[in-house]
Amino acid sequence: MAEKKPSTKEYIRAIGRRKTATAVVRMYKASKTSYTINGKDFTEYFPTPELKKIITGAFETSTPAEKFEIIATTKGGGSHAQAEAVRHGISRALVIFDTELRT
């Protein structure tokens, strides 16, 4: 299955890290928030509710007005560290998007 990439849109790129896991996150403005991790829907890549909550945690604490399409590529570490690296990358991208969210 080919990875869906909106290549012509502008995006914010950020890198998140946790232990030995690394995630490169691209954040596009979209009509609804969606997550794609390594070419798969995040519910498929991270099947447990705990890991899903880690991924969505960045948006729960910051609550930006816009919706985003998140495309992340992860490698290294275990699934828990990868989920935390994606969250870190999303958080960094949100701060780039709106510096007021840093607090």
Side-chain angles (χ1 to χ4, degrees):
M1 179 179 188
E3 184 177 340
K4 180 182 144 193
K5 290 186 179 181
S7 59
T8 59
K9 293 183 183 179
E10 282 190 31
Y11 62 89
I12 299 169
R13 182 179 180 270
I15 296 176
R17 293 181 182 91
R18 172 71 175 126
K19 293 185 175 183
T20 59
T22 305
V24 178
V25 175
R26 290 184 185 176
M27 191 168 75
Y28 299 87
K29 286 188 180 179
S31 58
K32 67 175 190 161
T33 300
S34 64
Y35 304 88
T36 304
I37 314 293
N38 289 348
K40 298 180 180 180
D41 185 59
F42 90 109
T43 58
E44 187 180 334
Y45 194 80
F46 295 117
T48 65
E50 178 188 3
L51 296 176
K52 291 175 195 171
K53 186 162 179 64
I54 289 171
I55 298 288
T56 59
F59 283 108
E60 290 174 1
T61 57
S62 64
T63 60
E66 282 84 11
K67 304 289 184 189
F68 297 100
E69 178 182 1
I70 307 295
I71 298 177
T73 304
T74 63
K75 63 181 178 179
S79 59
H80 196 276
Q82 284 185 356
E84 290 183 353
V86 171
R87 178 181 60 190
H88 185 220
I90 293 170
S91 297
R92 292 176 96 177
L94 284 171
V95 168
I96 292 169
F97 176 73
D98 182 7
T99 56
E100 295 293 318
L101 296 175
R102 185 165 177 87
T103 59

